[in-house]
Amino acid sequence: DTGVSQDPRHKITKRGQNVTFRCDPISEHNRLYWYRQTLGQGPEFLTYFQNEAQLEKSRLLSDRFSAERPKGSFSTLEIQRTEQGDSAMYLCASSLWASGSGNEQFFGPGTRLTVL
Amino acid sequence: AQKVTQAQTEISVVEKEDVTLDCVYETRDTTYYLFWYKQPPSGELVFLIRRNSFDEQNEISGRYSWNFQKSTSSFNFTITASQVVDSAVYFCALSEADFGNEKLTFGTGTRLTIIP
């Protein structure tokens, strides 16, 4: 199966440490999205890429967060100096955007981050 | 700003009963897309359906059906003859595609429990 994959699935870290997550989208998909989901809530948009270009960042994405998609394939999301409030599920999604709109996004299994 | 409201936090029904999940949305755009996703206990969001704002036809897929009414800004989801495997959290989401970013705005989800 060539769905969206994320690594690691779980990450426990101490406050103040840096963490990095990886997302591998569906191979032919040119768009990649990052979302964050906290307990009892729906996912919230963080940022997205079209190929290697990061086109929009949410106000939720503080300067401690950085995302890259260097070759337009996989993406990484790094959180520096983690805080307990960063504890959440980080979801990656990909879609094939052509000339149309409203393309469905396919989600990965997520990375659950716990900051102690 | 766009907003999605799922007023039902949790629903429990006995297996084989029909159940309807409500979704109300807000947007100022004339072109938008509505989605339903399922999040089973494993955590991965599974795409169920997409509907664009110009298509108000109801849709049926097996035991699932969707009712889109622009007049009431609602996009409700009905499961007929529910089964235990339908137990999950269901999210309604909205995408405004006017400026290219098709980020999804999710509701807070409805946790559906099917009792055997």
Side-chain angles (χ1 to χ4, degrees):
Chain A
D1 186 285
T2 55
V4 179
S5 61
Q6 292 186 246
D7 183 70
R9 295 291 306 276
H10 302 272
K11 179 70 177 179
I12 299 174
T13 191
K14 293 182 179 178
R15 189 178 54 181
Q17 297 295 305
N18 299 342
V19 295
T20 299
F21 310 141
R22 176 179 171 126
C23 170
D24 287 89
I26 294 172
S27 58
E28 65 270 23
H29 284 184
N30 51 6
R31 284 201 168 180
L32 186 148
Y33 296 79
W34 285 98
Y35 293 84
R36 181 171 66 189
Q37 185 178 20
T38 53
L39 202 61
Q41 300 296 314
E44 294 176 294
F45 168 77
L46 293 178
T47 188
Y48 89 105
F49 294 83
Q50 178 152 328
N51 300 313
E52 67 276 8
Q54 186 174 18
L55 298 185
E56 184 172 332
K57 294 191 290 186
S58 162
R59 287 172 296 175
L60 293 175
L61 215 63
S62 77
D63 55 7
R64 296 185 297 106
F65 288 69
S66 62
E68 293 183 341
R69 194 183 184 198
K71 297 182 180 179
S73 56
F74 73 91
S75 176
T76 57
L77 178 67
E78 181 183 15
I79 309 174
Q80 296 182 329
R81 305 181 302 281
T82 53
E83 301 173 354
Q84 288 184 327
D86 297 332
S87 295
M89 176 78 86
Y90 289 84
L91 295 165
C92 176
S94 70
S95 70
L96 179 62
W97 187 83
S99 58
S101 300
N103 304 288
E104 57 263 38
Q105 296 177 23
F106 295 88
F107 283 80
T111 294
R112 182 169 296 284
L113 173 66
T114 302
V115 181
L116 302 176
Chain B
Q2 52 190 354
K3 183 179 178 182
V4 175
T5 301
Q6 295 181 256
Q8 303 152 309
T9 305
E10 295 190 31
I11 300 176
S12 295
V13 299
V14 176
E15 194 173 18
K16 297 184 183 178
E17 288 185 352
D18 300 347
V19 58
T20 295
L21 310 182
D22 297 334
C23 172
V24 174
Y25 62 91
E26 295 176 30
T27 177
R28 288 176 291 187
D29 282 5
T30 55
T31 302
Y32 53 89
Y33 297 83
L34 296 163
F35 300 80
W36 276 93
Y37 282 84
K38 174 182 180 180
Q39 190 172 43
S42 61
E44 190 162 339
L45 283 160
V46 177
F47 167 78
L48 296 178
I49 191 173
R50 172 190 64 195
R51 174 65 74 219
N52 75 54
S53 53
F54 298 108
D55 182 3
E56 286 195 73
Q57 279 193 331
N58 293 330
E59 182 157 341
I60 298 174
S61 176
R63 296 184 297 107
Y64 295 170
S65 63
W66 291 268
N67 182 275
F68 176 30
Q69 292 195 340
K70 287 180 74 171
S71 60
T72 55
S73 297
S74 65
F75 186 44
N76 296 338
F77 173 29
T78 297
I79 302 175
T80 303
S82 59
Q83 299 177 2
V84 172
V85 294
D86 296 327
S87 296
V89 180
Y90 290 85
F91 290 97
C92 181
L94 167 71
S95 168
E96 294 172 341
D98 286 351
F99 299 103
N101 181 356
E102 298 184 327
K103 63 182 178 184
L104 295 169
T105 297
F106 287 85
T108 51
T110 298
R111 180 176 299 278
L112 176 64
T113 302
I114 309 299
I115 303 166

